Amino acid sequence: MRVSELSQATGVPVPTIKYYLREGLLPRGETTTSPNQASYSDEHVTRLRLIRSLLDVGGLSVATVRDVLAAVDDPDTSLHDVLGRAVGTVTATGADADDEHHARARTRLAGLIDDRGWHVSPHAPAREAAVAALATIYRLGLENLDSLADVYAGAAEQVAEADLGSVVQVADRDRRVQTALVGTVVGDALFAALRRMAQEHTSAKHFPPAQDPEQR
Amino acid sequence: MRVSELSQATGVPVPTIKYYLREGLLPRGETTTSPNQASYSDEHVTRLRLIRSLLDVGGLSVATVRDVLAAVDDPDTSLHDVLGRAVGTVTATGADADDEHHARARTRLAGLIDDRGWHVSPHAPAREAAVAALATIYRLGLENLDSLADVYAGAAEQVAEADLGSVVQVADRDRRVQTALVGTVVGDALFAALRRMAQEHTSAKHFPPAQDPEQR
């Protein structure tokens, strides 16, 4: 199909498709006899949908998507490594000074990982992300949020077991990699949304909203 | 203190502080006898740290932070409403067409909420965010990720109970609101990081990384 048809099939505007081609996110189409006109396949449709999911729902940057998809496309990359790339999409945000709150957060996280018997690479980006989050809590003096980390870790374990279970089910390598990637990235958004709904439900139980006096 | 001292106390550059003042995130300092020089208090230090946490670690936009802080500063806003604002910081991303995948996602989410007995406002932004995530999974044909939603919802319930528990502990209204806000927003980042570490741990169990042949 032509680029205009690819656009129609996916709802992605042609200039955006051309941008993804230039940035190396989307492979070039087959060249045809007519110059300046490439031919795109169903695989391009699938890839374009994946790109949009990672960018829009997953909130990844174009550079991260390029990096992750390069690992996906390399048949020599082990599934563990692709998962590592997907896992690496969480990075510590904010350029905080490495202060006493970070030191405390580092100790706290090391203890938590030790308690749970987790094997986590010392250079895992998620470590820095967790340290940044904990350091924020300490810097703001919100001490009573500290104990949440243990509850979160327990819930994260259940989620991670289910995540991996859904990946293991899939036999085909490409499909398996895609499942792992989307499950990880879109899963963040799904969990955050479900947490908000559970919070609303729990909050209404603890703090009943003020009754509208106009309402009978 | 002067703006330069406020900058020193928080590590936030003076031009950035001036930007937050212009955008209405940070209240103006007390005017002093010398023109063009305002005086800032410890409350400005606290507020500035909160702003940075919400922007950097929480990944919120300046507009969202302004909106949330306005609710925090209004003593007439009930805690439930402030939580509602914090909860509203998750929004559906990506301007997807409202297609058959969305319809299916909506039905799936309604069933899940019903099964769990959650009370969730029909207009909760988190609903649309969850629908967008589920629709993405369906659009990509990754059917086996669908069942994750139930595991996530169970984990989200545990997390939300702990979240609310930490808020209830706090007596002071301002502190309580800050706890709820930071717990919700920074909590997303903390959970995502812990989930990645739990995934790494679980993945290494299921898919042992290739042994380096050079290594004994």
Side-chain angles (χ1 to χ4, degrees):
Chain A
M1 70 188 85
R2 296 156 66 164
V3 67
S4 57
E5 291 162 309
L6 181 59
S7 167
Q8 210 155 14
T10 57
V12 180
V14 171
T16 307
I17 294 176
K18 292 192 167 167
Y19 170 67
Y20 296 156
L21 287 166
R22 279 198 309 275
E23 291 291 324
L25 270 64
L26 192 67
R28 304 251 158 218
E30 300 258 311
T31 45
T32 60
T33 46
S34 69
N36 298 323
Q37 189 170 305
S39 164
Y40 299 91
S41 67
D42 284 346
E43 278 182 39
H44 285 92
V45 173
T46 307
R47 170 57 60 104
L48 203 44
R49 287 199 178 126
L50 179 60
I51 292 168
R52 292 299 283 212
S53 303
L54 297 174
L55 288 173
D56 292 349
V57 182
L60 301 190
S61 69
V62 166
T64 303
V65 171
R66 187 199 297 119
D67 186 45
V68 168
L69 291 180
V72 167
D73 290 339
D74 179 357
D76 290 341
T77 312
S78 73
L79 183 61
H80 186 73
D81 288 339
V82 175
L83 285 175
R85 298 289 182 104
V87 156
T89 53
V90 156
T91 45
T93 43
D96 288 315
D98 204 337
D99 57 10
E100 78 269 23
H101 305 298
H102 276 78
R104 184 179 160 198
R106 240 177 272 283
T107 307
R108 171 79 167 98
L109 183 67
L112 183 149
I113 289 173
D114 203 45
D115 285 349
R116 308 206 78 92
W118 285 355
H119 290 96
V120 181
S121 150
H123 307 296
R127 275 187 190 259
E128 281 311 297
V131 165
L134 287 168
T136 299
I137 287 168
Y138 301 147
R139 188 174 313 110
L140 296 173
L142 301 174
E143 293 300 323
N144 64 327
L145 291 177
D146 174 79
S147 62
L148 289 179
D150 299 296
V151 179
Y152 285 25
E157 240 172 47
Q158 296 166 33
V159 164
E161 285 283 348
D163 286 338
L164 265 289
S166 69
V167 171
V168 172
Q169 285 173 358
V170 182
D172 176 67
R173 189 256 177 205
D174 280 3
R175 198 117 194 102
R176 190 181 251 207
V177 162
Q178 211 185 110
T179 303
L181 189 57
V182 173
T184 296
V185 173
V186 175
D188 278 344
L190 180 58
F191 184 84
L194 289 169
R195 178 178 171 230
R196 295 297 200 280
M197 284 183 262
Q199 283 183 333
E200 183 183 333
H201 174 66
T202 314
S203 169
K205 279 195 303 186
H206 282 282
F207 308 104
Q211 205 66 37
D212 184 345
E214 297 289 299
Q215 213 178 297
R216 301 272 134 198
Chain B
M1 68 186 85
R2 296 156 66 165
V3 69
S4 58
E5 293 163 307
L6 180 61
S7 167
Q8 211 155 14
T10 56
V12 179
V14 170
T16 308
I17 294 176
K18 292 192 168 165
Y19 170 67
Y20 296 156
L21 287 166
R22 279 199 308 276
E23 291 291 324
L25 270 63
L26 191 68
R28 303 254 157 214
E30 299 259 310
T31 43
T32 59
T33 45
S34 69
N36 298 323
Q37 189 170 305
S39 164
Y40 299 92
S41 66
D42 284 347
E43 279 182 39
H44 285 92
V45 173
T46 307
R47 169 57 60 103
L48 203 43
R49 289 200 176 123
L50 179 61
I51 292 168
R52 292 299 281 213
S53 303
L54 297 173
L55 288 173
D56 293 348
V57 183
L60 300 190
S61 69
V62 166
T64 303
V65 171
R66 186 199 299 119
D67 186 44
V68 168
L69 291 179
V72 166
D73 290 339
D74 179 357
D76 289 342
T77 313
S78 73
L79 184 61
H80 185 74
D81 288 338
V82 176
L83 286 175
R85 297 290 181 105
V87 156
T89 53
V90 156
T91 44
T93 42
D96 290 314
D98 204 336
D99 57 9
E100 77 269 24
H101 305 297
H102 276 78
R104 185 180 158 198
R106 240 177 272 282
T107 307
R108 171 76 167 99
L109 182 67
L112 184 149
I113 289 172
D114 203 46
D115 285 349
R116 307 208 78 93
W118 286 355
H119 290 97
V120 180
S121 148
H123 306 296
R127 276 187 189 258
E128 281 312 297
V131 165
L134 287 168
T136 299
I137 287 167
Y138 300 147
R139 189 175 312 111
L140 296 172
L142 302 174
E143 292 301 322
N144 64 328
L145 290 177
D146 175 80
S147 62
L148 290 179
D150 299 297
V151 179
Y152 284 25
E157 240 171 49
Q158 296 166 33
V159 164
E161 284 283 349
D163 286 337
L164 265 288
S166 69
V167 171
V168 172
Q169 286 173 358
V170 182
D172 176 68
R173 189 255 179 205
D174 280 3
R175 199 115 195 102
R176 190 179 251 208
V177 162
Q178 213 186 107
T179 303
L181 191 55
V182 173
T184 296
V185 174
V186 176
D188 279 344
L190 181 59
F191 184 85
L194 290 169
R195 177 178 172 231
R196 295 298 200 281
M197 285 183 260
Q199 282 182 333
E200 183 183 333
H201 174 67
T202 313
S203 169
K205 279 195 303 185
H206 282 282
F207 308 105
Q211 204 66 36
D212 184 343
E214 297 289 300
Q215 213 177 295
R216 301 273 130 197

